[in-house]
Amino acid sequence: MSHALPLSDRSDVTARLREALLEADFTADGLLELLGASAYAALARSETVPALRATRGDGDLETLVRLFLLQRSVPHTRVERVLPVGPLLECGWLAEDRAPGEDGALKATVDVRPYGGPAGEDWFIVSDLGCAVGGAGGIGSRDEGVVLGVGGASTTLAGVTVRTPVASALDVGTGSGIQALHAAQHATRVTATDLNPRALHITRLTLALSGAPDADLREGSLYEPVEGETYDLIVSNPPFVISPGARLTYRDGGMGGDDLCRSIVQQAGDRLNEGGYAHFLANWQHVEGEEWTERVRSWVPRGCDAWIVQREVQDITQYAELWLRDAGDHRTDPAEYAALYDAWLDEFEARKTKGVGFGWITLRKSGAAEPSVTIEEWPHPVEQPLGETVRAHFARQDYLRAHDDAALLADHFKLAADVVQEQVGMPGAEDPEHVVLRQHRGMRRATRVDTVGAGFAGVCDGTLGAGRILDAIAQLMGEDPVALRDRTPAQIRLLVEQGFLEPVGQ
């Protein structure tokens, strides 16, 4: 059963709590300094022993770590040295612990986790006890109404989101409020929805404790609470897990297969203002006899450009095991675990699903007659945050749409600042077998180019038009300049599309 939550209408008490946490350096940097890198990393894996060993002192920061992160009872006198105990007991942030052997002790009623904002802000993410990723209990609660803290999925979505100033933002399925908190930094008005009223309460606590403006919080499924309204930015880390049934509200969509992810993406087109962005994390089925790229392409709403990146694919057994462990089912009776595992495999077999893809989907409401839809598999490391990389991707699509080959050759380009050239070949060979251009930031792409492409990219500094550069290369190589102009624009277009070349002025 879920515990009672602190009051959210006592802003004075929340402000005093925030002040006390900051005074004790209960921040992301403070934790790293106190615990050390090893214990800090172990805590992120839900291993608490190293952190317990590192907090055996009686300092204020040790007290707060044990109270809020490790969820241990702490003597009343120790807590009183660092926190305003009376008001926090009255408002429900703390509770008396009447467990045997803990006379005069206090315990936290929620997990409070320091979180560093993108500009160095000191934020605090509130979640249910034992449900923060890297919390004292880790994920694995079987209570369907619990609200999780911040995990890898949350930070991934926050990192890929375009962070330009907007008038309005919508966080669908807000959970603990991390996306709403990020949006509040660059959106005049933030609306957050969730089917779980507990999540809305916790979002309000997260925003208040982080010193952020309150959001317009609305209860309901997906877009139902905002029917008829439109936004400049939509973000959602929805309950995307493809499962037989909907036991756990925080992860299971309750629709068949990947229908929830399809619905939330398809319906976003009607909720976006012109030029607006929508960012989603999603799972999608890999079905026998069907290309997964065509499946997700069908989700893209009319009038929207899209960039869909598949980051990982799991076969159905790996997928089932991952989420059974997420729910703690592997710790149950073996026969019960086997029955649940069977049910997952039955579900996949019925849908002819052979694997499940995970990735991110970005839409941009362009209204273009011929929308740009880029779908790719990219399991390689990237450099977060990617928001500016995402924005630049769509800006390049606009540029390429507006420039035919003749316009491309008349324009000027420069090599992106993070690109290096690598020559690959046998040692001692006079000429390389091939040349590779490689990015060291953003998506960290690498692409093979021919001699002309390498020479063209190397000369691009914005001073000469593309056509003049190709004419010079033709003269050096003894080639027909007309033929070179005819065959090279496709390569230039690819280098622009992938961000190796930047149009001057873009």
Side-chain angles (χ1 to χ4, degrees):
M1 180 179 295
S2 298
H3 297 282
L5 291 171
L7 299 175
S8 59
D9 56 357
R10 288 292 303 277
S11 59
D12 58 326
V13 175
T14 303
R16 290 178 64 186
L17 174 57
R18 173 176 170 78
E19 183 180 351
L21 297 179
L22 293 175
E23 179 68 24
D25 203 18
F26 187 64
T27 63
D29 290 341
L31 288 184
L32 182 58
E33 184 175 347
L34 172 69
L35 301 179
S38 179
Y40 189 83
L43 188 61
R45 301 190 300 269
S46 299
E47 294 291 346
T48 59
V49 172
L52 284 167
R53 291 172 61 87
T55 56
R56 288 181 291 196
D58 64 352
D60 291 349
L61 185 53
E62 286 96 332
T63 295
L64 294 175
V65 171
R66 283 185 168 253
L67 188 68
F68 287 117
L69 264 65
L70 301 177
Q71 286 135 36
R72 295 298 197 271
S73 294
V74 179
H76 191 290
T77 52
R78 281 187 58 182
V79 179
E80 202 165 33
R81 290 205 310 262
V82 59
L83 296 177
V85 168
L88 293 178
L89 282 170
E90 180 184 345
C91 284
W93 286 96
L94 300 177
E96 300 280 358
D97 188 1
R98 306 185 184 282
E102 297 289 352
D103 186 36
L106 296 172
K107 60 183 179 181
T109 60
V110 288
D111 184 294
V112 175
R113 191 152 303 260
Y115 181 88
E121 301 95 342
D122 289 315
W123 292 341
F124 300 97
I125 310 303
V126 181
S127 64
D128 273 315
L129 291 172
C131 296
V133 177
I139 302 179
S141 171
R142 298 170 64 82
D143 186 338
E144 67 172 21
V146 300
V147 178
L148 300 187
V150 178
S154 303
T155 55
T156 294
L157 179 60
V160 301
T161 300
V162 174
R163 297 296 176 190
T164 52
V166 294
S168 57
L170 171 65
D171 177 12
V172 181
T174 188
S176 60
I178 179 62
Q179 307 306 327
L181 179 56
H182 275 281
Q185 310 309 303
H186 64 105
T188 304
R189 174 174 57 89
V190 177
T191 302
T193 71
D194 206 291
L195 186 63
N196 182 3
R198 189 175 184 84
L200 298 177
H201 190 102
I202 281 183
T203 291
R204 180 164 281 121
L205 295 175
T206 289
L207 293 171
L209 194 58
S210 297
D214 197 8
D216 179 4
L217 305 178
R218 305 187 194 182
E219 182 180 345
S221 178
L222 302 182
Y223 299 111
E224 289 176 2
V226 294
E227 186 66 35
E229 299 178 30
T230 57
Y231 298 85
D232 301 315
L233 173 68
I234 298 173
V235 291
S236 183
N237 177 17
F240 54 67
V241 177
I242 300 170
S243 62
R247 289 192 307 146
L248 300 174
T249 305
Y250 69 82
R251 68 167 205 194
D252 301 325
M255 298 184 186
D258 52 19
D259 282 355
L260 183 135
C261 290
R262 175 185 55 79
S263 296
I264 198 170
V265 173
Q266 284 184 336
Q267 295 173 23
D270 293 333
R271 305 312 193 282
L272 275 177
N273 291 326
E274 199 70 23
Y277 287 90
H279 302 273
F280 309 97
L281 296 187
N283 276 178
W284 43 79
Q285 297 171 120
H286 284 230
V287 178
E288 292 179 16
E290 175 187 81
E291 289 292 332
W292 73 268
T293 54
E294 293 307 307
R295 184 178 192 86
V296 295
R297 186 184 298 274
S298 71
W299 296 3
V300 178
R302 182 177 302 174
C304 289
D305 295 338
W307 186 15
I308 301 172
V309 180
Q310 179 169 272
R311 296 288 287 157
E312 182 182 5
V313 183
Q314 291 185 317
D315 68 41
I316 57 175
T317 57
Q318 290 175 308
Y319 190 81
E321 290 163 13
L322 169 67
W323 294 109
L324 287 168
R325 287 180 175 275
D326 168 82
D329 292 316
H330 61 300
R331 303 191 193 100
T332 63
D333 176 73
E336 182 181 350
Y337 175 77
L340 290 168
Y341 201 150
D342 260 338
W344 282 71
L345 297 184
D346 285 344
E347 173 81 3
F348 287 132
E349 184 178 327
R351 295 183 177 278
K352 298 183 178 180
T353 301
K354 58 184 180 179
V356 178
F358 167 81
W360 63 70
I361 297 175
T362 298
L363 306 176
R364 198 270 305 261
K365 187 73 170 286
S366 66
E370 297 183 10
S372 163
V373 178
T374 302
I375 303 174
E376 61 181 323
E377 187 165 9
W378 194 256
H380 313 295
V382 299
E383 183 185 56
Q384 286 275 32
L386 280 168
E388 177 55 26
T389 299
V390 173
R391 187 209 61 77
H393 167 87
F394 287 98
R396 291 193 298 270
Q397 304 311 307
D398 286 343
Y399 172 84
L400 291 171
R401 253 196 305 252
H403 290 71
D404 60 15
D405 287 355
L408 209 63
L409 292 176
D411 216 339
H412 295 231
F413 300 91
K414 63 179 180 179
L415 191 65
D418 60 332
V419 174
V420 298
Q421 177 179 300
E422 300 173 358
Q423 295 184 343
V424 182
M426 294 296 293
E430 184 175 345
D431 295 314
E433 293 178 12
H434 58 265
V435 177
V436 172
L437 299 181
R438 187 180 302 278
Q439 300 170 348
H440 284 281
R441 293 188 177 181
M443 294 295 287
R444 294 178 175 170
R445 297 187 187 278
T447 189
R448 184 183 297 189
V449 292
D450 61 19
T451 305
V452 173
F456 180 86
V459 174
C460 282
D461 61 3
T463 59
L464 293 176
R468 289 185 61 189
I469 293 175
L470 289 180
D471 290 344
I473 291 174
Q475 186 174 5
L476 286 171
M477 298 179 64
E479 289 202 29
D480 179 1
V482 175
L484 197 62
R485 279 174 172 256
D486 284 344
R487 78 168 192 260
T488 307
Q491 188 169 192
I492 297 174
R493 194 171 290 275
L494 179 63
L495 292 175
V496 171
E497 182 177 11
Q498 295 189 344
F500 291 94
L501 292 178
E502 299 173 351
V504 173
Q506 287 297 107

